[in-house]
Amino acid sequence: MAATFRRRLQRGAASTAVAALVLAALTASQAPGATGAAAAKRQPAPPPADTPIDGGSAYYTDLPPLNSPVPPQGSPHNGQGPATGRGPAEAGLPATVLAAYKKAASTVGTADPGCRLPWQLLAGIGKVESGQARGGAVDAEGTTLQPILGPQLNGRGFARITDTDDGRYDGDLTHDRAVGPMQFIPSTWSSGGPDGTGWGADGNGDGKKDPHNVFDAALAAGSYLCAGGRDLTAQDDLDRAILGYNHSEEYLRTVLSWYAFYRNGTHEVPDGKGVLPVHRDAGRHDDNGGRSEDRRHHGHGGKPDKSPRPGKPGKEHKPGKGQQHHPGKPGRPDGTDPTPGGTEPPGQKPTPNPEPPTGPAHPTTLVRVGDKDLSATAGTEFATAPQVRAQDAEGKAVAGAPVRFTLPAATDARFPGDATAVTVKTDKNGLATAPTLRAGDRTGAFRIRVTTVAHTAPAVELGATVKARPAPKADKLARTSDKEPTATAGKAFAEDAVEIKATYQDKIAAGVAVTATMVTDDPKQPVENDKGPYFKDPEATGAAKHKPVRTLTGLTTDAEGLLKLPKIYTDAHPGTFLLRLTTADGAVLTVKLKVAAATGS
């Protein structure tokens, strides 16, 4: 064991030395006037005063390999070209994860060019925080296949943050946990931004801000790193940005080492084929609440990763017993430094593991309740609320699990408060029931997506259909005035000459379609008249707007069942003419229009 540790230490020291040399060169190239000696003596800039982005959570301490990536023949050796080439496996970045880093850097660069954010810095943080989303275990949209959760932030070695998101992102109803490939704590994602709206971002343009999505998380991380007018080519600004993520000098050195490594060249690998990291920070805990030193990450196919374990940088000392503890800083909660081989200093008790999470069990399956799709008429409430049952691997109900119901953009149906998504907890029987859903005016079928907020169970979809409202009916039409409409030839009738009211079974008939036609007085077969009173087409333009129209369709009664006909004009013909009003249900009203001869004719 001693020999093993010695080899590990030697490799770690060499890696650190190489990284330091590369960083010195980078600093000299990025900040004119800076020297390697000055950079070596410079102390890290103080971090922001607020809680670190990842809550001071655990992170991977693997260092880059000694051999640098080799770019393709004929390409510049600066990592700025296409992410292809050959070299150590650690230089391979999963395709979707790499695309997310580059897209985020480009987006931030457009919005804040003075920051000069390099995508390789995002890659360095992503490596240390989540091992590049666990080797690129993401779907085509960039969402992690399984949730990446940090330890419970219960104050034992980390920040103490009681639940702020009702388990929406981390599935924990007692405390927050850092979530996603860039390990944001929920409160920072949702409300921890400079304007109180949170650092959460929509990096892939799907209209959602999901910390479990690498495009969203990378853009959020880039925006944070550039906040406050930082210029990341200035070493103090770079240090301050990284320390704001996790206030640990070891964390700073580790991120900078990977940043330098990636700037020397990378190559793209398929999603899910990235190298998985081995070590988390000593004394910290993995996302399952266990000691990280006692577990090994496995590569694909379930085989252990037998590659040599890189050395770990030295640990900083933390305030001892009786001194104030600052969450997120390096070292152990009891103030001791770990010793070689993982043993504790004499007289010191081993650091206890954090207590297991006290939140609800994570469901593995969501089962829809009800055999039929939901249905409602436009403008009415669905009679049955959307509902699913959450259960574990043994088919038992899981109570208290947060479940999210999301409506698609294709519908204007809404939950209370005009919400398009709601989160509810399962009851003692494992049932998650969404609040009342109200149909909008848009008709047709749509799917309601139901997920667990921690992505522990496959999503299910519930079918729903909005049917068109039945056409309003009217069985009677009547005038609202007994006054006979009259006009002089060549002139128009009064504006309110004809107003009618529609009813159905003696009740107001709103929204009823009415057709108005000037007809002949043939009692057997009245047809459209070719002379006498007429309408004008309200939508016509030019000469057409003066053309007589003797049939109008599309007229509709208002909410009170009333309809005032448009202005009626007359030609040169005097006499008594008939206006016939009809509905699709057979209601008919005939109105006599009297036209007096023009004076002097």
Side-chain angles (χ1 to χ4, degrees), residues 101 199 211 236 247 283 290 305 319 327 341 383 397 409 524 552 576-577:
Y101 295 151
W199 289 107
D236 282 350
H247 187 208
D305 181 1
K524 294 182 179 180
L552 278 185
T576 299
F577 300 88

Side-chain angles (χ1 to χ4, degrees), residues 12 101 171 185 190 197 222 230 237 258 263 267 326 331 336 402 409 424 462 475 483 490 505 520 528 531 560:
Y101 295 151
I185 54 178
S190 299
T197 59
R230 292 180 184 132
D237 279 359
W258 282 105
R263 283 184 64 89
H267 59 274
H326 297 282
T336 63
V424 299
L462 308 180
D475 55 14
K483 185 178 180 181
Q505 297 179 351
T520 62
E528 183 180 278
K531 60 179 179 292
E560 300 299 324

